Amino acid sequence: MLKYRVVAFPVQKRLKTKAEGNALFRQIPSVDEILTEFAAALQTRELAQTAGREMTASVIREILAAIRKSARNGAVAESIPNGHEIQAAIARKIQEKLAPSLRPVINATGVVLHTNLGRAPLSANAAGRIAASATRYSNLEYDIAAGARGKRDAHTSAAFAELTGAESAIVVNNNAAAVFLVLNTLAKGAEVVVSRGELIEIGDGFRIPEIMAESGARLREVGTTNRTVIADYERALSHETHLLLRVHPSNFKIVGFTKHPELEELAALGHKKRIPVFEDLGSGCLIDLTSAGVGEPVVRASFVAGADLVTFSGDKLLGGPQAGIIAGKRKFVERIRQNPLFRALRVDKLTIAALEVTLDAYRRGALDEIPSLRMIRMSAQEIHRRASPFADNLRAQLPKGVALEVRAGFSLIGGGSTPGQKVPTTLVAVRSSQYSALELDEKLRKATSHVPVIVRIEKKTLMIDLRTVFEEEEPALAGALAAALA
Ligand SMILES: *Cc1c(COP(=O)(O)O)cnc(C)c1O
C-alpha cells in the first residue's frame, strides 16, 4: 500500500487564490517519500536497484516538476496522477533511460550495405573474437616471439598482401580517413591531379575537393565532367605535382559521350614522370563478384594495372568492420605510417579482431561465413524458397483486407558500390485496405513490443525483401507484420 496520496487534490477547474494553490502544492509528496516507496514496493524494487538512487531521484524530480506545472496551469484534480500512477510513470521513465540507444533492427529493405543501418553485419565468429579481445589483454602491439613492441597492423598485413597483391597495408578509422591521410602525407602543399569527372561527393560531407583542401593538398582539375583523356593529365604535370588521383565514382554514373583513360595509362604516365598514382576505390571488393551480378572492380586489379596506393572501406563490399585500408607500395605506406595523424586515425583492437576474422574467411574461401557476402550471393530462387512459405504462414494470421503477393524484384547492394547496383530478388508485397504503406512503415518502426523493422516502400506498396533478413529473424518479422496489420 502506498503511504502518500496525491489523489486528494481538491476538485477545481483553476486555482483561484494563492491559498488554494498552496493547499494543492502541499499535497504533492516529497521526492524522498516517493523514492522510499518506490524502492520498497514489490513490483518496482528490482528496477529501483538497477537504476540506483541518483537516477531514480532525478526521474522523480522530473515527474514532480511536471505535476507542479500542470497544477499551476489549472489542471483539474482528476488529471493529476495518483500515487500508483506516479509509481508507474517512474518505472516507465527509468526503463526508457536504461534502454540502449544503439540496438538491433530488422533490415527488410533489401539494401545489403545500408549505411544508416550499420553497413556490413559481422559474423558470430567475428563477434566472438571481438568479445575475446575486448575482455582480455592481447598482443595488439606486442611481438610475442621477440618479447618486444610490435605493430598493430601486423595482424592483418599478411592477409591483405595475400588477398590484394599489395606489398604493405595499414588500417585507419574509415576510407574517408584513409584518403585524407594519403593526400596529407604525399601531397600536402603540392598539387594532386584529378579528372573533373571524379570530383565526387559520397554523401554525409565526403567531397573530394573539400577533403583535398583539408589535407593541405592543392586540387589540379583536368578534363571535363564527361571526358578526360591522358593528354589532359600530361599537360597538367609540373614539378609541383606530387600525386595522380583516380576516384571510383561510387554512387553515380556518367553515361553517353564519355571518356576516361584506363588506370594502366594513368599508372604508365605516373611511373614515367615518377609521380605516385593513388586510387580511391571506395568499396574495395576483394574477390570478383560478377557471377553474383555485382560488377565492382577488385583491389588486386588496381595493383596489376600499376596503382601505387589504393584505399578502400572495411565495411562495404569487404563485409568487415568499419575501417579504411591503405594498401600499396611499401615505401609509400611506410611514409603514411610515419605521419603523426596516423596515430590519430588508427583503429582499435576490436576492429582489428573483426577484420582479421573476416580476412581469414576470404583466405579459406569460406565466403558464406561473411554475412553480407552470403546475402549478396543469394539467388532470387533461393530467396523465393524462403519468401513463399513466409508469406503463406503470415497470410494465415492476417485479417481480411490484407493482400500478400510474392513477386520478382530487385535488391540494392548499397554502401556506395557501383551506382544503382541491383541484383534480382523475390519480394513480399504487402497491401492493406485499412492502412497505407506509410502508416504500416511507421507502426513497424515504432512498436515497442518488438524489434524495429525497417522496410522499403515502392509505388505506395510495402515491400519485404528477405535477402537482408536473417533466417532467425523471420518469426520476429512475421510477428511484427501481423501486429501492424491487425
Ligand atoms: C564510401 C567511399 C568513401 C568513404 O568511405 P568510408 O569508409 O565510408 O569513410 C570514400 N571514397 C569512395 C569512392 C567511397 O565509395
Side-chain angles (χ1 to χ4, degrees):
M1 230 9 242
L2 296 171
K3 289 195 201 73
Y4 64 86
R5 307 189 39 184
V6 200
V7 268
F9 275 126
V11 177
Q12 57 178 0
K13 285 276 184 294
R14 215 157 233 300
L15 299 172
K16 291 199 191 72
T17 65
K18 210 170 169 142
E20 264 179 4
N22 287 343
L24 177 63
F25 277 86
R26 266 199 301 281
Q27 293 183 58
I28 297 177
S30 74
V31 172
D32 263 351
E33 232 175 316
I34 299 181
L35 186 72
T36 309
E37 201 73 56
F38 191 79
L42 207 58
Q43 312 93 294
T44 52
R45 196 186 287 165
E46 212 177 299
L47 192 59
Q49 212 153 56
T50 311
R53 208 182 154 81
E54 279 302 310
M55 183 189 275
T56 310
S58 108
V59 163
I60 294 171
R61 275 193 288 274
E62 265 176 61
I63 288 171
L64 290 187
I67 292 176
R68 284 197 193 93
K69 188 169 169 208
S70 80
R72 216 174 284 123
N73 292 341
V76 295
E78 297 88 89
S79 73
I80 291 183
N82 64 31
H84 291 288
E85 285 163 348
I86 291 178
Q87 299 278 11
I90 300 167
R92 255 196 320 276
K93 254 204 157 79
I94 289 178
Q95 266 149 358
E96 261 171 45
K97 277 189 203 272
L98 291 178
S101 167
L102 180 66
R103 58 201 173 117
V105 303
I106 293 177
N107 174 9
T109 64
V111 182
V112 179
L113 301 166
H114 200 305
T115 299
N116 301 151
L117 304 184
R119 286 202 188 147
L122 298 174
S123 63
N125 239 349
R129 199 80 79 78
I130 288 175
S133 332
T135 51
R136 309 278 297 267
Y137 293 106
S138 67
N139 61 337
L140 177 65
E141 282 189 359
Y142 188 73
D143 183 334
I144 294 174
R149 196 197 156 127
K151 287 180 179 138
R152 61 180 64 204
D153 37 86
H155 307 290
T156 49
S157 55
F160 276 123
E162 194 180 306
L163 294 166
T164 69
E167 285 178 14
S168 184
I170 53 175
V171 187
V172 290
N173 180 56
N174 56 15
N175 189 34
V179 172
F180 174 83
L181 205 53
V182 172
L183 295 173
N184 180 266
T185 309
L186 300 182
K188 187 176 176 183
E191 277 185 6
V192 178
V193 180
V194 56
S195 161
R196 289 197 169 91
E198 296 170 13
L199 296 175
I200 57 164
E201 171 174 332
I202 309 295
D204 214 10
F206 184 87
R207 293 172 148 189
I208 290 293
E210 288 169 16
I211 285 275
M212 186 93 68
E214 290 298 328
S215 75
R218 285 196 307 280
L219 174 63
R220 180 77 159 87
E221 304 173 22
V222 296
T224 63
T225 304
N226 55 329
R227 285 173 73 88
T228 305
V229 295
I230 195 72
D232 294 322
Y233 286 90
E234 207 156 0
R235 268 197 303 277
L237 300 185
S238 72
H239 65 280
E240 304 242 344
T241 315
H242 278 202
L243 205 60
L244 294 178
L245 170 62
R246 152 75 46 114
V247 186
H248 182 54
S250 298
N251 47 10
F252 80 108
K253 202 170 196 140
I254 298 177
V255 294
F257 185 53
T258 67
K259 195 170 170 68
H260 262 88
E262 294 296 328
L263 183 60
E264 281 88 348
E265 289 177 81
L266 202 58
L269 176 65
H271 296 161
K272 194 171 87 189
K273 305 282 184 182
R274 296 176 166 277
I275 300 166
V277 175
F278 160 38
E279 184 175 39
D280 170 16
L281 208 43
S283 209
C285 210
L286 292 186
I287 46 151
D288 190 350
L289 286 173
T290 38
S291 62
V294 181
E296 273 289 307
V298 295
V299 178
R300 183 181 289 281
S302 296
F303 291 125
V304 171
D308 295 296
L309 279 171
V310 177
T311 64
F312 51 96
S313 292
D315 56 353
K316 290 187 181 173
L317 278 173
L318 196 152
Q322 179 189 305
I325 292 90
I326 302 172
K329 296 260 165 66
R330 180 165 285 112
K331 63 173 176 181
F332 297 123
V333 174
E334 275 313 309
R335 271 180 64 192
I336 294 164
R337 190 213 295 280
Q338 302 302 322
N339 188 329
L341 284 172
F342 172 62
R343 173 69 177 70
L345 298 171
R346 71 184 187 190
V347 290
D348 72 336
K349 58 193 175 199
L350 310 186
T351 301
I352 289 174
L355 198 53
E356 190 187 0
V357 176
T358 308
L359 295 178
D360 193 52
Y362 278 101
R363 290 166 101 179
R364 291 182 287 110
L367 300 182
D368 280 347
E369 285 182 20
I370 301 167
S372 56
L373 278 192
R374 189 173 65 235
M375 289 171 180
I376 288 168
R377 286 152 26 96
M378 266 178 210
S379 68
Q381 289 81 346
E382 206 177 321
I383 295 165
H384 189 277
R385 281 198 291 276
R386 287 170 55 196
S388 187
F390 177 83
D392 289 343
N393 286 338
L394 183 57
R395 220 174 262 121
Q397 305 172 47
L398 296 178
K400 280 204 192 68
V402 180
L404 292 188
E405 190 201 329
V406 176
R407 58 159 93 151
F410 289 94
S411 310
L412 276 174
I413 302 304
S417 48
T418 293
Q421 186 87 67
K422 286 175 180 173
V423 286
T425 192
T426 305
L427 300 169
V428 180
V430 183
R431 268 211 214 81
S432 154
S433 56
Q434 201 181 347
Y435 304 111
S436 72
L438 276 175
E439 283 168 333
L440 289 173
D441 166 272
E442 186 175 352
K443 287 172 117 197
L444 287 166
R445 276 185 288 119
K446 289 189 179 166
T448 48
S449 57
H450 56 72
V451 181
V453 176
I454 315 299
V455 296
R456 172 176 11 148
I457 295 175
E458 241 173 53
K459 295 190 186 126
K460 297 189 176 167
T461 305
L462 190 95
M463 298 292 189
I464 300 296
D465 189 343
L466 290 183
R467 181 185 299 279
T468 48
V469 177
F470 290 91
E471 274 185 71
E472 58 270 27
E473 290 175 330
E474 279 182 23
L477 173 61
L481 283 165
L485 287 157

